[in-house]
């Protein structure tokens, strides 16, 4: 037992501080977490409330898409591409088809190019609305989510009229698009876009003046332009750092070279810039769709090469060439020439690349998808390291990682 | 007369009389209109899940608008999207953590049967690991289909027998002790 005189008489300054030696704590967030859309698990090492280390673990939505594609014909891969980034299926459909057409060296008709462009832009608006609405909801702004979903539902009605499905469209075929625009559809879309613009502005106005929202978004999840490039970022997350890189501008495909649109840029590379950039991009997409309607001329929507396109039914029923063409495509699949290619389009979240290998048979030898979400998810650790735990939520929201495409 | 888990029962309790039937109907009515759901959202169907919780389709009209992200507070497990082999034990654990009475909806074909992902990675239907009350087909189902599935579940709930006190046997280990980790991953 300590004697009385063992206790120091004077109180030194360090004795007056309550020493709370802290250990780091490991927190497991996900894979089914209310504040994260997308199934990903974060192993977070926390020092108090600060993030020391973060390890994202994927694989909870691995569906064997790349392997499944090898077992079906080229056209049958299309439904699998819908379910990669399921918020913007048309961008995936058309991106995949462009890659196949590059491999087969097909030039699709003008009108099909316009339909692809406007379809992709409509779904880009849907994707950005979902990302914005979900971000707001996960930060507590629930009513914003309703406005965004209302706008998205209106657009989905138009998409359903065009493709027959609200969400998983499987629209487009190798060599063009499956069918032309429905009658009276153009005017309906214009009216819908007017209403969507109102809702979009309402969404933006509810958020950009909200102090809580600003405090959580501004200055959090910051990444510099150099780091963003090094991580392989693309799309809105890269442009939010101020780098002017949009594949629609730099390597125009379809009819983007005939469109007059701006590429919105951010300056800080933080969550707010990524959020606001999406709002701006929706305005540009709106204008691209309207320009497509102005410019497009009547014409065929499919190429007339019976090695790639199904012949029209009257020919199938009356000519031997028609029967053979139909039979070979249906029974054997479309024969894509032997070779490999990489093709890329600007999907709502960034560069969606396709690496395809064909061995000349009716089925793909290898399909690989370069999903924009993987580099973004890889960068999350860098973006939130040292920040507090609540900063992870808006950061994960604004990079908008989609489980379906990341898990391949 | 069977012993009801150690409780002393009388013939009066075992027989379902008029009063008990009324109580059961009352409870069924209350339970079917106050479903607290746990949305186990993994994939594409989540987009349609967002649509049904939105203003247009408004699942709140059916008393099931309240998502609880703690399984212990939920009555209805909505499995929305593909469940693969890696996710399956987590789903099982979430289901086991839910308190009785509980119901399960398989939202979309992936949850119902694996859908067109007939391969090495995907669980071919969640009914391989947990019981399912209502299957909603579609890839993804339209919101109307989901609401129809919910109404089907409500009909099922109102037809079930409900008791004021639900006695369930405690899960015992071999040495007779209460297994606190029952239902967890072993």
């Amino acid at each position: 037992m300590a004697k009385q005189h063992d206790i120091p008489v004077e109180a030194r300054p360090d004795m007056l501080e309550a020493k709370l030696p802290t250990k780091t704590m490991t927190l497991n967030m996900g894979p089914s977490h209310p504040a994260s859309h997308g199934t990903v698990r974060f192993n977070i090492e926390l020092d108090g409330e600060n993030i020391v280390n973060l390890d994202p673990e994927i694989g909870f939505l691995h569906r064997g898409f790349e392997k499944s594609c090898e077992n079906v014909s080229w056209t049958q891969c299309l439904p699998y591409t819908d379910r990669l980034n399921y918020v913007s299926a048309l961008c995936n459909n058309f991106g995949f088809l462009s890659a196949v057409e590059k491999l087969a060296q097909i030039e699709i008709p003008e009108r099909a190019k316009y339909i692809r462009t406007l379809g992709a832009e409509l779904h880009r608006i849907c994707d950005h609305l979902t990302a914005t609405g979900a971000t707001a909801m996960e930060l507590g702004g629930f009513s914003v989510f309703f406005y965004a979903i209302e706008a998205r539902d209106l657009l989905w009605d138009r998409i359903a009229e065009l493709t027959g499905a609200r969400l998983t469209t499987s629209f487009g075929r190798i060599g063009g698009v499956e069918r032309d625009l429905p009658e009276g559809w153009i005017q309906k879309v214009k009216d819908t876009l007017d209403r969507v613009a109102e809702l979009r502005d309402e969404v933006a106005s509810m958020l950009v003046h909200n102090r809580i929202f600003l405090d959580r978004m501004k200055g959090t999840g910051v990444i510099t332009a150099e780091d963003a490039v090094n991580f392989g970022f693309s799309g809105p997350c890269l442009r939010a750092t101020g780098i002017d890189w949009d594949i629609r501008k730099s390597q125009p495909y379809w009819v983007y070279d005939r469109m007059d649109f701006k590429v919105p840029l951010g300056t800080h590379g933080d969550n707010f810039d990524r959020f606001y950039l999406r709002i701006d991009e929706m305005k540009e997409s709106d204008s691209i769709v309207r320009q497509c309607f102005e410019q497009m001329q009547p014409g065929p929507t499919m190429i007339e090469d019976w090695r790639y396109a199904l012949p029209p039914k009257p020919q199938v029923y009356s000519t031997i060439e028609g029967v053979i063409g139909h039979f070979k495509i249906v029974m054997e699949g479309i024969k894509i020439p032997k070779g490999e290619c990489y093709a890329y389009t600007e999907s709502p979240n960034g560069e969606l690349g396709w690496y395809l290998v064909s061995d000349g048979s009716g089925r793909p030898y290898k399909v690989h998808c370069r999903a924009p979400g993987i580099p973004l998810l890889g960068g999350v650790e860098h973006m939130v390291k040292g920040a507090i735990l609540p900063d992870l939520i808006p950061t994960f929201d604004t990079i908008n990682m989609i489980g379906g495409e990341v898990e391949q | 007369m069977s012993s009801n888990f150690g409780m002393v029962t009388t013939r009066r309790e075992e027989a379902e009389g008029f009063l008990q039937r009324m109580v059961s109907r009352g409870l069924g009515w209350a339970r079917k209109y106050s479903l607290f759901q746990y949305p186990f959202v993994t994939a594409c169907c989540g987009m349609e899940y967002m649509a049904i919780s939105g203003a247009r389709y408004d699942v709140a009209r059916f008393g099931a608008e309240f998502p609880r992200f703690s399984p212990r507070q939920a009555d209805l497990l909505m499995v929305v999207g593909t469940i693969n082999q890696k996710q399956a034990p987590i789903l099982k654990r979430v289901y086991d953590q839910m308190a009785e009475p509980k119901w399960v909806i398989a939202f979309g074909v992936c949850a119902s049967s694996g859908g067109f992902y007939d391969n090495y990675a995907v669980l071919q239907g969640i009914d391989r690991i947990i019981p399912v009350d209502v299957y909603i087909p579609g890839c993804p189902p339209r919101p109307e289909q989901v609401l129809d599935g919910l109404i089907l579940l409500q009909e099922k709930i109102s037809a079930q027998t409900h008791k004021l006190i639900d006695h369930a046997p405690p899960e015992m280990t071999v040495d007779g002790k209460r297994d606190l980790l029952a239902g967890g991953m072993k």
Side-chain angles (χ1 to χ4, degrees), chain A residues 31-32 34 39 57-64 68 79-80 83 86-87 145-146 152-154 157 166-168, chain B residues 38 41-44 47-48 50-51 53 56-57 69 82 84 86-87 90 116-117 119-121 139-140 142-143:
Chain A
S32 177
T39 49
E57 181 186 341
I58 60 169
F60 295 99
L61 193 54
H62 175 73
R63 300 190 277 198
S68 299
Y80 288 106
R83 290 155 183 82
Y86 30 76
V87 202
F145 172 76
F146 290 135
R152 192 183 71 170
D153 261 332
L154 290 172
D157 286 348
R166 281 159 59 83
L167 182 58
T168 44
Chain B
Y38 181 101
V41 180
T42 59
C44 337
M47 296 299 117
E48 290 293 21
M50 283 179 176
S53 27
R56 192 198 286 195
Y57 295 101
F69 284 97
T82 319
N84 67 5
K86 191 171 179 180
Q87 187 85 278
I90 299 159
F116 78 154
Y117 293 103
N119 58 30
Y120 62 93
C139 188
R142 281 188 66 89

Side-chain angles (χ1 to χ4, degrees), chain A residues 74-290:
Chain A
W74 287 98
T75 319
Q76 286 167 335
C77 292
L78 214 52
Y80 288 106
T81 63
D82 285 336
R83 290 155 183 82
L84 289 174
N85 183 348
Y86 30 76
V87 202
S88 52
L90 284 175
C91 298
N92 299 314
N93 287 166
F94 297 152
F96 173 74
L97 290 172
S98 294
V100 179
E101 283 150 11
K102 186 178 176 186
L103 197 56
Q105 294 178 335
I106 307 174
E107 183 74 18
I108 62 169
E110 283 291 293
R111 193 172 171 83
K113 286 184 185 172
Y114 277 106
I115 295 177
R116 284 191 182 182
T117 308
L118 71 92
E121 291 306 319
L122 283 178
H123 254 177
R124 191 185 308 277
I125 301 177
C126 293
D127 195 299
H128 287 345
L129 279 170
T130 314
T132 311
T135 306
M137 178 183 69
E138 279 149 22
L139 297 182
F142 208 94
S143 47
V144 183
F145 172 76
F146 290 135
Y147 285 83
I149 293 299
E150 173 64 22
R152 192 183 71 170
D153 261 332
L154 290 172
L155 283 171
W156 275 359
D157 286 348
R158 301 292 88 79
I159 300 276
E161 284 160 8
L162 176 65
T163 69
R166 281 159 59 83
L167 182 58
T168 44
T169 52
S170 297
F171 192 58
R173 295 290 180 268
I174 296 166
V177 292
E178 193 216 350
R179 68 195 99 150
D180 208 341
L181 305 181
E183 206 176 319
W185 192 72
I186 293 181
Q187 190 52 45
K188 269 190 193 170
V189 175
K190 284 180 182 169
D191 295 344
T192 307
L193 284 174
D194 290 340
R195 176 73 184 130
V196 169
E198 281 172 28
L199 288 165
R200 175 199 67 210
D201 293 341
E202 204 147 357
V203 164
S205 70
M206 275 190 282
L207 292 175
V208 294
H209 303 301
N210 186 321
R211 181 65 198 275
I212 302 170
F213 185 76
L214 291 180
D215 281 350
R216 290 200 64 182
M217 299 292 274
K218 280 202 167 168
T220 57
V222 185
I223 190 161
T224 62
E226 195 188 347
D227 287 339
V229 172
N230 289 341
F231 272 108
F233 277 27
S234 54
C237 296
L238 180 66
R239 292 194 285 275
T241 64
I243 294 180
D244 189 359
W245 174 254
D246 188 323
I247 297 167
R248 291 175 295 170
K249 278 277 188 205
S250 56
Q251 324 267 311
Y253 50 97
W254 306 330
V255 290
Y256 281 113
D257 47 349
R258 294 171 219 171
M259 297 294 152
D260 176 28
F261 67 102
K262 289 200 296 285
V263 178
L265 293 178
T267 44
H268 304 100
D270 61 354
N271 284 326
F272 186 78
D273 277 9
R274 284 192 284 273
F275 150 76
Y276 204 74
L277 198 129
R278 286 198 164 92
I279 302 274
D280 279 344
E281 274 196 9
M282 281 191 251
K283 295 176 188 165
E284 297 303 321
S285 296
D286 184 308
S287 116
I288 293 174
V289 174
R290 286 170 201 272

